[in-house]
Amino acid sequence: PHLTDYLQLENLKTYTNPLDQNRFFHPSHGFYVSPSDVILRQIVYDLSSACGAFSDSDPRVHVAYHRAGPRKQIFFEPKNTRAAIVTCGGLCPGLNTVIRELVVGLWELYGVRQILGIQAGYRGFYSTTRNPLVLNPKMVRGWHKLGGTVLETSRGGFDLHQIVDAIQTNAFNQVYIIGGDGTMRGAVEIFDEIQRRKINVGVVGIPKTVDNDVGIIDRSFGFQTAVEMAQQAISAAHVEAESAVNGIGLVKLMGRSTGHIALHATLSSRDVDCCLIPEMEFYLEGKGGLVEFLDNRLKENGHAVLVVAEGAGQNMIPRTAAQTEERDESGNLVFLDVGSWLKTELKKWWARDHPGELFTVKYIDPTYMIRAVPANATDNLYCTLLAHSAIHGVMAGYTGFVSGPINGNYAYIPLEDVAQATNAVNTKDHKWAWVRTVTNQPDFVKS
């Protein structure tokens, strides 16, 4: 989407891009998409008939033209630009890096001098007790070395009309929203309301989800840091299990709807005997079940390490009627602790089938340790690219989009598409096959 989609071009002024006079900024040819470039084509066809070439006249080809002006012109005058930055939802490594780079990019590249940080999530827009923080490069200089978010965050608090009213009242004309899938759905509503009111405000989402469940983009920031920290928890569980008689190290990792952290940490550590993720059902008792597998592994090695994503096995945990309907402030179903449940079930199994024999389950839940750490070098670089990409897009007049890489190319994707997309682990692809290879775990298929 572009500002000119809902505002008349004659009512929009354009301004000379200060990057044109910046002797330190030299983007390579093709760095930006402009109307003179090749049109963007979306090819829709059945893979079974994927042979042959396609032309613009082919009915399977849908053509979309870019409507943005050339990058020599921008749609916001820097000296009059008021940018708002907000972080919503749970913590994730790299949040402070994104904030820092948005501030530095706006200030140093474009000369924007009015940058404000909205405190405590969406409710901070209309809060009477949490005033926005005035941000500048000197203030945010060392933020990339800090975990969490200096702007603070919260779940819930989404009141569409109060938020958009506050955007108008404070004369914000650029809004940078950093958050997960629920936050992105809220950003879609904000963008739609801004369109309805026909106000000149650029809205951009920077997707944040530590467990990498945002669809379309290659990965979300903080994910690689999370995998790195998860390995430390797995190593500790392995030491505990190996040092005990019939010891099991049980590690619960983040992943409500997807098991990407558990999968990648398993492949990286090589100490894991079994990996359980939400995309794969499993069962405890009977032939081919988890109990039989662990029994054999303890007989062979004397210990075992079990990694489970928080969303795995939720349908197996007994719940009360109230627990079935319980939701958090963001509207997500409240999950029960699969790690504690598994620990209890394993102890019941051992006491029943191996009475009098030594047995230990060491349960480790590193969730808050992983979420709260600063981003590693790889994620810090990624956060920088995301932030600067978002700034360039908003300045060029794009709005209602998410900044992120697709197959390594930084792109602007409509907010609505990203808010609806998911990124589940494909248990039929090569990565899951590698997990099965390194763990030799059962496939939990009942005959």
Side-chain angles (χ1 to χ4, degrees):
H2 194 269
L3 290 170
T4 54
D5 289 342
Y6 67 94
L7 296 174
Q8 296 298 315
L9 190 57
E10 56 267 23
N11 296 332
L12 283 171
K13 287 185 178 181
T14 58
Y15 308 89
T16 301
N17 192 339
L19 291 180
D20 243 18
Q21 285 78 46
N22 189 322
R23 60 194 179 96
F24 302 109
F25 190 81
H26 301 288
S28 59
H29 177 70
F31 183 78
Y32 293 123
V33 175
S34 72
S36 60
D37 290 327
V38 178
I39 54 178
L40 180 67
R41 297 174 176 87
Q42 178 188 5
I43 300 176
V44 182
Y45 59 94
D46 190 284
L47 287 176
S48 62
S49 59
C51 298
F54 290 88
S55 66
D56 288 347
S57 60
D58 194 300
R60 293 170 290 180
V61 177
H62 304 278
V63 180
Y65 289 87
H66 291 280
R67 286 182 288 271
R71 282 300 206 280
K72 289 184 177 295
Q73 300 294 313
I74 55 176
F75 282 77
F76 295 98
E77 187 175 20
K79 69 178 183 181
N80 294 329
T81 295
R82 283 176 59 83
I85 304 170
V86 64
T87 55
C88 306
L91 297 183
C92 175
L95 279 170
N96 283 324
T97 305
V98 174
I99 299 167
R100 178 192 187 277
E101 293 306 323
L102 286 172
V103 173
V104 171
L106 285 164
W107 190 286
E108 301 289 355
L109 295 178
Y110 286 96
V112 175
R113 293 295 182 264
Q114 300 178 75
I115 310 169
L116 294 104
I118 306 302
Q119 298 191 78
Y122 274 138
R123 54 173 48 86
F125 276 103
Y126 55 84
S127 172
T128 56
T129 59
R130 314 289 293 183
N131 294 324
L133 289 178
V134 178
L135 303 175
N136 59 62
K138 185 177 180 180
M139 182 180 185
V140 303
R141 182 174 296 155
W143 283 18
H144 62 294
K145 301 175 183 178
L146 305 174
T149 167
V150 179
L151 293 182
E152 301 179 338
T153 185
S154 67
R155 296 187 184 277
F158 184 80
D159 186 310
L160 176 61
H161 293 288
Q162 286 201 75
I163 291 171
V164 179
D165 287 346
I167 290 172
Q168 285 191 277
T169 301
N170 288 282
F172 294 136
N173 46 21
Q174 292 183 7
V175 181
Y176 298 87
I177 302 172
I178 311 165
D181 53 353
T183 302
M184 293 300 109
R185 289 192 292 271
V188 171
E189 293 188 42
I190 291 171
F191 171 59
D192 289 344
E193 180 64 15
I194 283 172
Q195 281 187 302
R196 191 188 68 78
R197 298 189 190 188
K198 295 188 180 300
I199 52 179
N200 186 9
V201 178
V203 179
V204 57
I206 301 178
K208 170 236 50 161
T209 169
V210 71
D211 46 12
N212 202 36
D213 62 355
V214 171
I216 302 178
I217 62 173
D218 293 347
R219 64 179 174 88
S220 54
F221 74 82
F223 173 68
Q224 291 198 342
T225 305
V227 172
E228 187 176 299
M229 294 300 296
Q231 286 185 65
Q232 296 183 23
I234 292 172
S235 295
H238 181 249
V239 170
E240 290 284 353
E242 200 172 31
S243 302
V245 177
N246 294 318
I248 290 182
L250 174 59
V251 181
K252 184 186 78 173
L253 298 175
M254 288 167 291
R256 288 178 55 87
S257 57
T258 65
H260 291 287
I261 292 179
L263 183 154
H264 284 80
T266 295
L267 289 176
S268 302
S269 76
R270 308 308 286 264
D271 287 329
V272 179
D273 293 279
C274 188
C275 175
L276 304 174
I277 60 175
E279 293 88 346
M280 180 198 68
E281 292 187 1
F282 69 95
Y283 57 96
L284 296 177
E285 306 285 352
K287 185 70 175 173
L290 180 62
V291 163
E292 180 189 65
F293 172 75
L294 292 176
D295 201 1
N296 291 332
R297 192 54 60 96
L298 290 177
K299 289 174 183 176
E300 294 170 6
N301 300 332
H303 68 277
V305 175
L306 177 61
V307 169
V308 57
E310 63 181 310
Q314 287 294 320
N315 60 328
M316 300 169 63
I317 308 174
R319 300 169 181 264
T320 64
Q323 287 173 326
T324 303
E325 301 298 326
E326 188 179 2
R327 295 184 178 273
D328 63 20
E329 287 183 304
S330 297
N332 300 313
L333 184 68
V334 173
F335 281 2
L336 299 182
D337 189 344
V338 65
S340 295
W341 172 75
L342 266 176
K343 179 180 179 180
T344 301
E345 293 300 312
L346 292 176
K347 284 189 170 183
K348 287 180 183 177
W349 151 62
W350 193 265
R352 184 192 67 218
D353 292 1
H354 303 276
E357 293 186 44
L358 289 174
F359 180 67
T360 302
V361 180
K362 298 295 187 181
Y363 174 39
I364 298 176
D365 179 358
T367 298
Y368 296 108
M369 293 176 62
I370 292 175
R371 288 171 18 143
V373 299
N376 64 14
T378 303
D379 273 325
N380 265 332
L381 171 61
Y382 184 39
C383 291
T384 301
L385 296 174
L386 284 176
H388 286 221
S389 177
I391 294 169
H392 295 319
V394 174
M395 283 293 183
Y398 291 107
T399 181
F401 70 89
V402 159
S403 168
I406 301 177
N407 296 329
N409 297 303
Y410 280 78
Y412 303 141
I413 312 128
L415 262 170
E416 189 172 7
D417 292 349
V418 175
Q420 294 175 354
T422 57
N423 182 32
V425 170
N426 181 1
T427 55
K428 296 182 180 180
D429 77 353
H430 60 283
K431 285 185 182 177
W432 187 249
W434 289 342
V435 169
R436 294 287 312 283
T437 300
V438 301
T439 62
N440 294 316
Q441 67 188 62
D443 56 16
F444 301 110
V445 175
K446 292 182 178 179
S447 81

